[in-house]
Amino acid sequence: MATQTRTINRGANPFAPMVIQQNVNLTPTNQANIYEPLIVRGARAHSNAHVQEALKRLRIRLGGEKYTHKHFGELIWVKISDLDINIEIQRDEDAEHQANILEKFDPRIAMPVMATKLKNGRYSVWEGQQTSCLYYHLYHAGLIDGDFLVQVKAFDEDMIVPGTDLQGEAVGNYGFRQINGGGRKGIDAYHLHRSRVQGVRLYDSDFDEDVQSELIQQTLEKNNMFPDKASNARGQSALPGMVTYIHGLNTIAGHGTDMKLFNKSLADLNWALAWHDKYYPAEKGVDGGFILAFGRLAHAARTAKVPVKLDATVEADLYKLFQTQYGSPKSFHKDCKQRLQDFQDDNDLVRSWSDSCLTPLLVMDYYNPSKFAGKLNLPQVPDMNKYSGY
Amino acid sequence: MNMPKVYYFYLWRHRFVDDATDQIVARTCFGITSNPDNRIHGYEGHVGHVVKFAKLWTGHERLIRELETRIKTDFFPYTVVGTGGFRYEWITEEVNFDSIVKWVDWEVENTFVGIKEIK
């Protein structure tokens, strides 16, 4: 049996299960049951040592007393005209924010307003000011039919609960920063991306923000990559194809811009990811700095007065640049960090990371006669001269 | 001159009833051999019915062994873990059979040009 010889220039096997399964797991359409009982999920977290420690401390604070159903306040229906905003507690009304919510308004996802029931019979809203204002807009625009009442969760201002001396408006003042600060876990970029993708794949959403994320997800899958939580890449645990810098994907793809512009920017992202998949398929994790650097290079090439074509020859030359100057996309990112730091030190600037240096340094290195001395046409990018000498 | 030894890489699909869930589970077994018939007899002796490989490729031993190493690496997280944490050359039901075949076809097409599909 004769063995043929040939040059192999293979990327990752697109049918390797790691990436496919990670993407399948993102949208679990094949799972018969997507619901986990709270008693199962809660029990899992309940065994956490920190949860147990927190419960122990709370028990001490309660001093042998227990909460009752009444302590949690009550859900009631209140006329708009009976609501007041405590301006000592609340922020300013934010008309722009309210306008954003109004455009996507859906009454089913409006939260109840949190309020203290004052002795004078009125309600002091300490959480849900913007929501309350939305109700005002809707009501006065005639978009709510009939006699509208606001859902309010309220407690009497003289109510006392175990474990604290706070009472009345002091509770609202505390609750305002608890709910808007440490008390609410903000959504991270991965789960936001996943929710938007599910919006399209599971629930037929046609919101632009969902459609765009789903197209970004398709771009990842096309290039043998998958999104993941940043926590899964800690230490040495990043896997080939893993992208944790979701914000970078959105930035390069122009997520949030109009669809026409987005489709063009998405091509920039695709070019960057395809290059990585072609030349560094086995790299553990797709470096976020690399995504920005190459994405912006593609953007600069596309939007140049005379557009620059980043064809296969340029791609191969950039690979040679990486081979000779950095070794890997991750090392390129590290190299840029060090050089920016040197630049800041020498110019008496405060050390702080700015990813805007990535693409200029890349292009500078490509043309630098003492480094790579590249001969092909790359686009001009902002700040190319700023870091000269670094 | 020593002639390179001809080897075979096979995929076999097997269904069984999972005791824990009472559900029928289909898993894919992979392996290499210099004698497919003998290997089939071995499997038949274990399971007690006629066994047919679902897919079969052949090539020089060196290439076939390298292909086996690759599939073990790429599919490692999806191989069946048995008693005592022992991993077997079985791919879990999470990964469907078609995608495994496509994985092998892609490897043959893009790297192991000396390997031929014979079934």
Side-chain angles (χ1 to χ4, degrees):
Chain A
M1 195 182 301
T3 303
Q4 300 170 37
T5 57
R6 62 177 173 170
T7 303
I8 301 296
N9 184 17
R10 51 165 288 166
N13 187 324
F15 303 102
M18 186 68 76
V19 169
I20 290 174
Q21 285 307 126
Q22 294 284 355
N23 283 318
V24 165
N25 294 343
L26 183 78
T27 308
T29 47
N30 295 325
Q31 282 187 18
N33 188 7
I34 60 170
Y35 302 106
E36 183 174 44
L38 175 64
I39 53 173
V40 175
R41 214 164 171 85
R44 201 159 55 233
H46 190 71
S47 60
N48 178 284
H50 293 140
V51 169
Q52 288 302 315
E53 180 61 25
L55 284 170
K56 190 175 148 190
R57 288 172 190 271
L58 178 60
R59 188 171 284 113
I60 292 168
R61 184 154 65 83
L62 292 175
E65 290 189 88
K66 287 184 179 177
Y67 296 123
T68 66
H69 183 76
K70 190 183 161 208
H71 291 144
F72 290 85
E74 55 182 346
L75 284 166
I76 53 177
W77 299 91
V78 177
K79 284 193 289 185
I80 285 181
S81 58
D82 286 344
L83 298 179
D84 291 326
I85 307 296
N86 184 330
I87 59 172
E88 285 184 340
I89 295 175
Q90 283 280 6
R91 291 168 285 193
D92 294 341
E93 76 278 12
D94 185 343
E96 296 300 320
H97 178 60
Q98 291 164 23
N100 283 338
I101 301 174
L102 274 173
E103 286 194 21
K104 297 173 184 171
F105 186 76
D106 183 326
R108 293 167 298 184
I109 60 173
M111 300 276 280
V113 167
M114 308 289 277
T116 305
K117 186 181 182 186
L118 305 174
K119 282 180 185 159
N120 63 11
R122 296 185 64 76
Y123 292 84
S124 167
V125 176
W126 49 266
E127 166 59 26
Q129 172 189 207
Q130 312 300 344
T131 305
S132 304
C133 288
L134 284 187
Y135 295 151
Y136 178 89
H137 302 319
L138 292 167
Y139 189 70
H140 283 273
L143 296 175
I144 300 180
D145 209 14
D147 295 329
F148 177 65
L149 296 173
V150 178
Q151 286 174 333
V152 174
K153 185 191 172 203
F155 59 88
D156 291 337
E157 74 168 310
D158 58 0
M159 180 193 279
I160 295 169
V161 300
T164 177
D165 295 329
L166 296 181
Q167 196 178 343
E169 292 292 62
V171 180
N173 189 48
Y174 172 63
F176 167 75
R177 65 174 183 277
Q178 268 297 93
I179 289 180
N180 292 296
R184 179 175 285 165
K185 187 172 163 60
I187 186 167
D188 59 275
Y190 167 77
H191 284 100
L192 186 59
H193 173 78
R194 191 181 74 155
S195 175
R196 287 165 168 165
V197 173
Q198 314 294 48
V200 174
R201 294 189 177 180
L202 298 181
Y203 307 116
D204 299 325
S205 169
D206 58 3
F207 287 138
D208 278 0
E209 67 175 77
D210 293 358
V211 171
Q212 291 181 353
S213 286
E214 203 277 334
L215 288 168
I216 290 171
Q217 177 63 25
Q218 282 189 38
T219 305
L220 284 172
E221 291 172 10
K222 191 164 67 176
N223 292 298
N224 304 306
M225 294 172 188
F226 63 93
D228 211 334
K229 292 173 267 191
S231 56
N232 284 345
R234 279 189 196 134
Q236 297 297 314
S237 49
L239 297 168
M242 180 189 277
V243 180
T244 57
Y245 190 41
I246 313 295
H247 178 69
L249 297 176
N250 290 338
T251 301
I252 296 304
H255 188 280
T257 59
D258 73 73
M259 285 304 289
K260 201 175 166 188
L261 181 59
F262 170 81
N263 286 327
K264 289 179 181 170
S265 308
L266 185 65
D268 299 337
L269 177 68
N270 183 55
W271 180 80
L273 300 187
W275 186 92
H276 194 285
D277 183 47
K278 185 173 183 181
Y279 293 108
Y280 290 96
E283 191 76 2
K284 288 191 167 184
V286 181
D287 185 79
F290 160 81
I291 292 172
L292 292 178
F294 269 54
R296 286 172 181 156
L297 183 70
H299 175 267
R302 175 171 58 79
T303 57
K305 277 185 185 168
V306 180
V308 176
K309 202 173 178 189
L310 299 176
D311 57 17
T313 316
V314 175
E315 289 173 9
D317 227 23
L318 287 170
Y319 178 51
K320 280 183 204 157
L321 171 72
F322 268 61
Q323 282 180 308
T324 55
Q325 300 299 315
Y326 319 117
S328 71
K330 204 169 278 148
S331 298
F332 160 71
H333 192 176
K334 277 185 188 166
D335 188 60
C336 290
K337 280 185 175 174
Q338 183 58 56
R339 291 158 70 184
L340 177 65
Q341 194 173 300
D342 294 344
F343 168 79
Q344 289 167 340
D345 287 350
D346 291 351
N347 290 280
D348 295 326
L349 298 169
V350 176
R351 280 185 184 178
S352 67
W353 170 241
S354 168
D355 56 44
S356 62
C357 72
L358 292 162
T359 316
L361 289 173
L362 175 75
V363 178
M364 270 172 49
D365 287 352
Y366 179 79
Y367 286 121
N368 190 332
S370 61
K371 286 194 168 177
F372 189 70
K375 302 281 183 245
L376 300 176
N377 191 20
L378 293 187
Q380 296 282 315
V381 294
D383 290 338
M384 271 182 66
N385 298 322
K386 182 176 173 183
Y387 304 105
S388 181
Y390 288 90
Chain B
M1 190 173 104
N2 285 336
M3 287 297 289
K5 204 170 178 183
V6 174
Y7 251 62
Y8 299 85
F9 177 88
Y10 58 84
L11 296 177
W12 171 41
R13 298 185 75 192
H14 183 58
R15 293 175 183 82
F16 70 99
V17 178
D18 182 21
D19 286 341
T21 62
D22 243 13
Q23 299 291 307
I24 295 174
V25 174
R27 288 182 180 162
T28 304
C29 169
F30 64 88
I32 64 170
T33 179
S34 61
N35 188 328
D37 290 340
N38 275 358
R39 183 58 55 91
I40 279 177
H41 295 154
Y43 284 133
E44 287 177 344
H46 283 294
V47 297
H49 59 72
V50 171
V51 166
K52 287 181 180 171
F53 290 145
K55 300 292 284 185
L56 194 62
W57 290 263
T58 186
H60 296 162
E61 180 181 1
R62 179 172 48 79
L63 292 178
I64 293 288
R65 285 196 183 280
E66 181 58 26
L67 178 63
E68 186 196 31
T69 302
R70 273 203 192 178
I71 198 169
K72 281 180 179 173
T73 305
D74 267 16
F75 287 74
F76 179 80
Y78 303 98
T79 47
V80 173
V81 180
T83 311
F86 199 88
R87 277 188 189 269
Y88 295 94
E89 292 170 350
W90 284 87
I91 295 169
T92 61
E93 58 276 20
E94 248 184 301
V95 184
N96 71 53
F97 178 73
D98 287 346
S99 67
I100 301 169
V101 174
K102 283 177 181 170
W103 181 93
V104 179
D105 285 342
W106 194 91
E107 288 295 327
V108 169
E109 174 65 26
N110 289 278
T111 296
F112 301 105
V113 72
I115 293 178
K116 303 284 177 220
E117 182 181 340
I118 55 172
K119 184 183 178 185

